[in-house]
Amino acid sequence: MALYGGIEGGGTKFVCAVGTGPGDLREIRFPTTSPEETIARAVTFFRQVREPIVAIGIASFGPIDPNPTSPTFGYVTTTPKPGWANTDFAGEVHRALGVPVGFDTDVNVAALGEYRWGAAQGLDTFIYLTVGTGLGGGGMVNGRLIHGMMHPEMGHIRIPHDWQADPYPGACPYHGDCLEGLTCGPAIEGRWGQPGETLPPDHPAWELEAHYLALGLVNFILPLSPQRIIMGGGVMAQAHLFPRIRARVRQLLNGYVKTPQITEEIEEYIVPPALGNRSGVLGAIALAEMVAKGQMPGVGA
Ligand code: ZN
C-alpha cells in the first residue's frame, strides 16, 4: 500500500509521520535544532519506512515561500529563528527522498487537516488559529487555502489597546502590542509574571485574553465571512476561554451580523480543533496525498 509522509516543522519541535490518515499514523517527534540536523533526522525517519512513500507534505513555521512559481518555493524565508532564514526546506527533503513535496504554513496545513478529517469538513471558507508561543492563522476561502502575496499573518493585526487598563506593552518584536503581542503565551507570562498554565480560571488574565482574542476574531469575521473559526494551541487548552470569547464576539458585533452561526449556534461556530493537537501532522498527510494526486503543487511534482 502507498503511504504518505507528513512533517509538522515547528520552531521548537518536529513531528514526522507516515500513513494515510487518522487511523494508521506512525510518528516520531524531536526538538528543532539546526536545519541540517533537523531535516536529516526527518529524512532518516522516512528512509526507515519499508513501504513506499509516494509524497511528503510539510507544515512549516514561517515566514515561508508557498508560491509554486517562485524560485524560492519551499523555503523558510525571513524567520528570526537562528540558522533557518533562507533554508530550502522542501527542496532538501525532495532531493533526499526523491518524491514530490507539498509545502505550506503550519496553520494553513492544520486548516487542511481539519477540512479533511476534522471541524471544517464540508465548509469552503473558514479559518484556523493557533494561540501559543505566537499567534498564527490560516484557512480557506472558497475551497482554496489562502495565499496571495505571501500567506496570511493573522497574528500581527492591530487591535485597540487600552493602555490604562493594560499597561503591558506587548511581546511582538516587530509591533509590540499587535494581536499576537497582546495574547500569546509569552505575553500572558510577561503581563502577569507567571505562565498562563499556573493562573486559575477566575484570574482576570482570562477575561482580558478573551477580550483581545474576540477583537481579533471580529476583525477576521467581518472581511472574510468564515463559516467557522477553529482555535487551537497551548493557550486555547484553557477550555474556559471559549465561552468567554464567544460572548465577547457577540457583544462586539452588537447585533450587526444576524446569521444563525452568530445568534443561535455560536458554540458550533468558534470551536477547538476536532483533531486536537494532530491537525498539523494530519494536514501534512492530506497535503501529501493531494500533491501525489496532482491536486496541489509541490516541489518536484
Ligand atoms: Zn506583531
Side-chain angles (χ1 to χ4, degrees):
M1 189 175 65
L3 296 182
Y4 305 107
I7 301 174
E8 184 182 9
T12 55
K13 75 166 192 297
F14 262 51
V15 183
C16 298
V18 289
T20 61
D24 67 0
L25 280 203
R26 282 170 277 162
E27 59 184 72
I28 58 160
R29 41 193 70 212
F30 47 86
T32 308
T33 57
S34 70
E36 298 76 21
E37 185 179 46
T38 314
I39 294 172
R41 224 167 148 176
V43 165
T44 302
F45 168 74
F46 292 117
R47 281 189 176 144
Q48 285 165 351
V49 176
R50 286 194 189 164
E51 303 93 323
I53 295 174
V54 294
I56 304 276
I58 299 178
S60 180
F61 71 97
I64 66 163
D65 184 349
N67 175 3
T69 65
S70 155
T72 52
F73 174 45
Y75 278 61
V76 175
T77 54
T78 56
T79 180
K81 187 165 175 62
W84 280 84
N86 300 311
T87 293
D88 185 8
F89 189 174
E92 292 290 339
V93 173
H94 166 64
R95 284 187 288 278
L97 297 171
V99 296
V101 178
F103 188 71
D104 213 321
T105 61
D106 43 9
V107 276
N108 259 353
V109 175
L112 186 65
E114 289 291 322
Y115 174 75
R116 179 71 190 275
W117 291 295
Q121 291 176 75
L123 307 180
D124 64 28
T125 300
F126 66 94
I127 59 179
Y128 175 95
L129 296 168
T130 180
V131 192
T133 51
L135 192 156
M140 279 187 180
V141 170
N142 299 335
R144 297 175 71 113
L145 292 174
I146 311 171
H147 291 124
M149 178 182 69
M150 183 177 73
H151 48 74
E153 282 287 354
M154 297 185 186
H156 298 276
I157 63 166
R158 315 311 297 261
I159 56 167
H161 174 195
D162 179 345
W163 285 83
Q164 280 204 315
D166 173 25
Y168 179 66
C172 175
Y174 289 87
H175 317 114
D177 62 350
C178 63
L179 178 62
E180 170 177 297
L182 289 172
T183 62
C184 64
I188 298 173
E189 183 163 356
R191 180 183 292 115
W192 301 102
Q194 59 186 100
E197 308 90 85
T198 66
L199 297 170
D202 60 356
H203 192 280
W206 301 118
E207 272 307 322
L208 187 66
E209 182 76 7
H211 168 68
Y212 288 141
L213 289 172
L215 282 166
L217 294 200
V218 298
N219 286 340
F220 302 135
I221 291 169
L222 293 166
L224 280 179
S225 193
Q227 296 152 322
R228 183 162 291 147
I229 295 174
I230 303 165
M231 301 183 77
V235 170
M236 295 311 300
Q238 304 280 339
H240 57 84
L241 275 174
F242 281 93
R244 295 180 209 264
I245 292 168
R246 292 171 188 137
R248 200 85 185 130
V249 162
R250 264 191 185 147
Q251 249 176 18
L252 289 164
L253 289 173
N254 201 25
Y256 184 72
V257 178
K258 289 191 167 51
T259 59
Q261 288 95 327
I262 302 294
T263 61
E264 293 161 37
E265 300 152 4
I266 201 163
E267 293 77 15
E268 282 106 65
Y269 184 65
I270 300 167
V271 298
L275 302 175
N277 60 9
R278 302 178 78 210
S279 318
V281 71
L282 280 164
I285 296 287
L287 176 60
E289 183 181 352
M290 292 177 81
V291 169
K293 292 179 174 170
Q295 297 162 349
M296 289 278 257
V299 174

